[in-house]
DNA sequence: GCGGGTGTTCACGC
DNA sequence: CGCGTGAACACCCG
C-alpha cells in the first residue's frame, strides 16, 4: 500500500524511537517474510533509519542493514515496554517480530506476504535490483533531466510516474493526484510533454508528496495503512481524484471524475481539465 | 464465485 | 531491445 509519504512517516518514527536500541532476537513467523541470517544482527545497535524509494533501511552498528519493503499490505507496529496490545484481526498476519533489549517489539504485519524483511551487509544493498535501478526522488532531479528521461518513454505518463526506475517514491495514489494538479491527461504519452508541462508536473508531484508526508500518509476505508503507533493518516481526505470516480471535479468545472485502467491499475482523472 | 486492492517482477507475443 | 498485456506473489472483502 504505502508510497513515499507513508513510508517516510514510518521512517521518521523508526528513526526517533529505535536509534540506539539493541536487537535481542528476531522471530520469523512466515518463511517468505524474513530473508537472511538473523544471527548477524543480534546485539547490534541501530544507528539510523533511511529510506530508498519505498524501501526502509535500518542501519546497524556492525555494517549490516535490515531492509524492509512493505509492498501492498505491509505494516510496521512498535509495541513499547512489553505492553500487551489489544488483540485484533491483524494478529494472524504478523510475519516477523524484532525484539529489542529494552523490551520494545517491532512487528512486521503483512496480510498478502508480498513484503519482506531482509538482513544483509550494507554493501550488498547496492547490488539489489531494486536499489541498483532506482531513480532519483522527485526533488533530487532537475526539470531538464526529468524532461530528458520522459523524452525516452513512449508509455502513458501515469504508468511512467509509477516506474521506480524513472523517479522513485510515487505510486498509484500520488501519480493520479499529481497529474490532476498539473492538468495532464494520464494517458498522454510521456515523450510528448513539453518542457514547461514537465516542470509543472514535477512541481505538483512534490506538492502532493509533501502534503502526504505532512498529513501522515493516507489510510483508505480498509484502514490498512497505519503508522508505527497504529494511527491512520489523513491524506485520504485530500484526494484530488484518487478513488473519487463519479464525483464532481474539485475545480468545479462540471467535469466528473472517471476511472479507467492503465497498465492494469486503476486510473482516475477529470476529462474536462486534464488534457 | 469473481474482481479488485497505496507494489514489483517476470514471461510472453509482437 | 522495447512496448503492452497479463500473470504471479497471497489474502481479504464487497
Amino acid at each position: 500500500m504505502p508510497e513515499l509519504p507513508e513510508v517516510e512517516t514510518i521512517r521518521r518514527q523508526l528513526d526517533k524511537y529505535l536509534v540506539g536500541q539493541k536487537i535481542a532476537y528476531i522471530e520469523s513467523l512466515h518463511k517468505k517474510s524474513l530473508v537472511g541470517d538473523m544471527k548477524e544482527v543480534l546485539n547490534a545497535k541501530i544507528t539510523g533509519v533511511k529510506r530508498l524509494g519505498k524501501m526502509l533501511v535500518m542501519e546497524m552498528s556492525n555494517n549490516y542493514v535490515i531492509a524492509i519493503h512493505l509492498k501492498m499490505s505491509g505494516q510496521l507496529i512498535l509495541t513499547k515496554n512489553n505492553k500487551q496490545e489489544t488483540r485484533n484481526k491483524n494478529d494472524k498476519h504478523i510475519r516477523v517480530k524484532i525484539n529489542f533489549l529494552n523490551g520494545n517489539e517491532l512487528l512486521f504485519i503483512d496480510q498478502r506476504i508480498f513484503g519482506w524483511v531482509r538482513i544483509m551487509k550494507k554493501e550488498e544493498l547496492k547490488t539489489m535490483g531494486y536499489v541498483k535501478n532506482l531513480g532519483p526522488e522527485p526533488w533530487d532531479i532537475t526539470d531538464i533531466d526529468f524532461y530528458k528521461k520522459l523524452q525516452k518513454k513512449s508509455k502513458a505518463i501515469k504508468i511512467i510516474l509509477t516506474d521506480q526506475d524513472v523517479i522513485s517514491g510515487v505510486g498509484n495514489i500520488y501519480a493520479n493526484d499529481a497529474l490532476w494538479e498539473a492538468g495532464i491527461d494520464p494517458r498522454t504519452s510521456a515523450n510528448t510533454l513539453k518542457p514547461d508541462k514537465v516542470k509543472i508536473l514535477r512541481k505538483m508531484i512534490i506538492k502532493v508528496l509533501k502534503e502526504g508526508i505532512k498529513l501522515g500518509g493516507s489510510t483508505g476505508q480498509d484502514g490498512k495503512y497505519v503508522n508505527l503507533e497504529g494511527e491512520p493518516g489523513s491524506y485520504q481526505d485530500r484526494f484530488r481524484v484518487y478513488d473519487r470516480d463519479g464525483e464532481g471535479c474539485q475545480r468545479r468545472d462540471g467535469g466528473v471524475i472517471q476511472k479507467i485502467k492503465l497498465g492494469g491499475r486503476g486510473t482516475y482523472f477529470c476529462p474536462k481539465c486534464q488534457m
Side-chain angles (χ1 to χ4, degrees):
Chain A
M1 302 169 345
E3 303 181 32
L4 189 153
E6 289 76 25
V7 178
E8 176 62 15
T9 301
I10 294 173
R11 186 200 69 76
R12 291 179 184 183
Q13 294 178 312
L14 288 171
D15 200 66
K16 180 177 168 190
Y17 293 120
L18 297 185
V19 167
Q21 290 205 35
K22 273 189 181 175
I23 293 186
Y25 62 99
I26 299 178
E27 254 180 283
S28 173
L29 289 83
H30 192 286
K31 221 166 115 184
K32 290 188 174 176
S33 300
L34 181 66
V35 184
D37 187 357
M38 68 113 154
K39 289 194 211 76
E40 305 285 8
V41 291
L42 292 189
N43 239 21
K45 199 184 273 183
I46 294 182
T47 56
V49 183
K50 305 286 168 57
R51 184 178 53 70
L52 291 174
K54 301 173 191 171
M55 182 176 75
L56 289 161
V57 182
M58 301 202 291
E59 297 180 333
M60 313 300 300
S61 51
N62 61 354
N63 275 327
Y64 272 78
V65 297
I66 301 176
I68 302 173
H69 202 305
L70 302 169
K71 292 286 182 87
M72 291 287 267
S73 61
Q75 299 179 342
L76 284 173
I77 302 287
L78 184 66
T79 63
K80 292 175 191 159
N81 303 320
N82 289 325
K83 192 174 76 182
Q84 192 64 28
E85 297 291 310
T86 350
R87 302 276 104 185
N88 63 55
K89 62 177 179 176
N90 282 330
D91 284 16
K92 64 177 165 186
H93 304 306
I94 297 173
R95 309 303 182 188
V96 180
K97 293 181 180 180
I98 300 176
N99 289 272
F100 296 92
L101 279 179
N102 71 351
N104 286 10
E105 186 178 51
L106 183 65
L107 303 179
F108 175 70
I109 300 169
D110 187 23
Q111 177 196 102
R112 295 171 74 177
I113 320 183
F114 292 170
W116 40 255
V117 177
R118 287 186 197 179
I119 297 163
M120 60 186 137
K121 282 192 174 136
K122 198 176 176 182
E123 307 92 71
E124 278 178 62
L125 203 55
K126 302 186 205 65
T127 67
M128 286 179 66
Y130 180 82
V131 177
K132 210 164 46 180
N133 301 322
L134 201 62
E137 305 208 341
W139 32 69
D140 291 332
I141 189 170
T142 62
D143 290 323
I144 302 291
D145 287 346
F146 189 33
Y147 173 73
K148 283 183 188 162
K149 274 197 159 185
L150 295 186
Q151 280 298 103
K152 294 184 192 136
K153 304 283 180 180
S154 58
K155 290 190 199 181
I157 183 63
K158 156 74 185 339
I159 297 173
I160 299 303
L161 288 186
T162 59
D163 181 344
Q164 303 302 296
D165 301 352
V166 178
I167 50 168
S168 56
V170 177
N172 208 25
I173 292 178
Y174 297 95
N176 278 298
D177 277 8
L179 286 166
W180 179 84
E181 283 283 358
I184 298 170
D185 186 316
R187 297 165 293 189
T188 311
S189 184
N191 57 8
T192 64
L193 291 171
K194 300 280 177 283
D196 59 327
K197 268 289 185 191
V198 171
K199 184 176 176 156
I200 293 170
L201 177 57
R202 194 179 75 91
K203 191 176 166 187
M204 294 309 162
I205 293 168
I206 292 171
K207 178 181 175 176
V208 295
L209 289 179
K210 287 205 166 161
E211 190 176 328
I213 293 170
K214 193 175 161 194
L215 298 176
S218 58
T219 303
Q221 299 97 326
D222 54 12
K224 260 191 215 147
Y225 165 76
V226 289
N227 67 21
L228 205 55
E229 296 176 313
E231 298 156 346
S234 60
Y235 179 80
Q236 67 278 7
D237 301 332
R238 304 285 187 90
F239 283 162
R240 277 72 168 162
V241 288
Y242 180 80
D243 207 22
R244 290 201 186 276
D245 45 316
E247 294 182 30
C249 177
Q250 292 175 27
R251 286 200 176 93
R252 299 171 178 275
D253 56 10
V256 176
I257 307 306
Q258 267 191 37
K259 182 179 183 183
I260 59 168
K261 282 224 168 199
L262 278 183
R265 310 300 303 276
T267 301
Y268 306 81
F269 69 105
C270 169
K272 205 130 189 194
C273 61
Q274 291 179 256
M275 297 167 286

